């Protein structure tokens, strides 16, 4: 069995951060060690929430506690997502380095959540800078959306070709794999939901239906990053992991749309997460 230390947000109601990623990763047979950066009543895109940011010291203390029982070497990957404060970024990178000192084969997937003011996703001051200046260089895999692709690459990214260039820039800065979770308006077809995957061997593009909602569900990126790393740890190739992730997420979105719900219907779609109905294929970009 593979083990993932997942350092993300936690919401008591609904699905975002670890609530969106943990159960799907467990469904794929991965043991998840959830370490929460914040504990909120609900995700921030409701516009109001209660709860607290976890003190940054807790991250290191928890990791050292796992090491004290001689278990940290079992960790096969660290995932970081929504970060509650700028100070937490350095603590997370210290945790990644510590895990890798105990298991040199461990991977670090950085889901660089930077916030999206238009959608109401709020991230603390300094987090974006920490992700760009510190986390990106440490990451083996990084999973930006369009906003984050621009910030990480420093490029404007207003069309598909610029998106490809931005991915190349990120690959030159440390990560070995880049998964663009959503190309949004710079994709080939704005009526579709499009993703990119890049590694040292090339780039692949996948397109699936773009589901329409009154309010866009939150936590899709967290689900995407979690499924991708879990698939890789389970021995799938990059392309197999990419396709399974895209198809499983599409099925979750379909069920969520059918139930007319603002929150991702992860439990209702649990069988599709393991065995997706959708069968969209990745196409290599020449």
């Amino acid at each position: 069995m593979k083990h993932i230390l997942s350092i993300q947000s936690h919401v008591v109601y609904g699905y975002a951060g670890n609530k969106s990623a943990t159960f799907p990763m467990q469904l794929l047979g991965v043991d998840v060690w959830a370490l929460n950066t914040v504990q909120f009543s609900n995700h921030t895109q409701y516009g109001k929430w209660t709860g607290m940011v976890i003190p940054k010291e807790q991250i290191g203390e928890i990791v050292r506690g796992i090491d004290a029982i001689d278990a940290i070497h079992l960790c096969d990957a660290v995932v970081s997502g929504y970060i509650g404060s700028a100070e937490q970024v350095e603590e997370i990178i210290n945790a990644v380095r510590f895990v890798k000192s105990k298991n040199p084969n461990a991977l670090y997937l950085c889901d660089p959540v930077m916030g999206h003011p238009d959608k109401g996703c709020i991230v603390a001051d300094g987090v974006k800078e920490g992700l760009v200046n510190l986390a990106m260089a440490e990451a083996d895999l990084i999973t930006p959306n369009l906003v984050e692709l621009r910030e990480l690459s420093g490029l404007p990214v207003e069309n598909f070709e610029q998106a490809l260039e931005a991915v190349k820039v990120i690959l030159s800065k440390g990560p070995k794999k880049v998964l663009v979770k959503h190309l949004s308006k710079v994709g080939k077809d704005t009526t579709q939901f499009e993703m990119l995957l890049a590694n040292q061997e090339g780039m692949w593009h996948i397109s699936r239906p773009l589901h329409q909602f009154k309010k866009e569900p939150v936590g899709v990126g967290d689900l995407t990053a979690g499924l991708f790393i879990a698939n890789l740890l389970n021995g799938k190739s990059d392309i197999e992991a990419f396709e399974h992730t895209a198809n499983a997420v599409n099925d979750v979105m379909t069920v969520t749309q059918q139930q007319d719900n603002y929150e991702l219907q992860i439990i209702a779609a649990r069988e599709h997460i393991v065995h997706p109905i959708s069968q969209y294929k990745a196409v290599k970009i020449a």
Side-chain angles (χ1 to χ4, degrees), residues 112 114-119 128 144-153 155-157 180 182-184:
M114 296 181 183
H116 200 307
D118 293 342
K119 292 185 177 180
K128 177 178 71 175
N145 60 24
L146 177 57
V147 171
E148 295 149 3
L149 183 65
R150 289 169 173 157
E151 294 288 349
L152 292 170
S153 67
L155 299 178
V157 191
V180 182
H182 184 17
L183 283 167
S184 188

Side-chain angles (χ1 to χ4, degrees), residues 1-66:
M1 182 180 291
K2 298 297 184 178
H3 309 270
I4 292 176
L5 174 62
S6 183
I7 310 175
Q8 305 193 54
S9 61
H10 173 76
V11 292
V12 175
Y13 173 83
Y15 292 88
N18 269 329
K19 275 287 292 291
S20 184
T22 298
F23 180 54
M25 290 192 284
Q26 290 171 329
L27 284 172
L28 295 189
V30 175
D31 185 24
V32 183
W33 310 344
L35 200 174
N36 301 323
T37 55
V38 305
Q39 176 159 284
F40 290 162
S41 56
N42 48 272
H43 66 68
T44 62
Q45 294 184 45
Y46 279 97
K48 55 185 177 181
W49 66 93
T50 58
M52 66 177 291
V53 175
I54 304 302
K56 66 181 179 65
E57 293 82 7
Q58 277 284 294
I59 295 171
E61 287 181 13
I62 294 294
V63 171
R64 287 189 293 274
I66 299 171

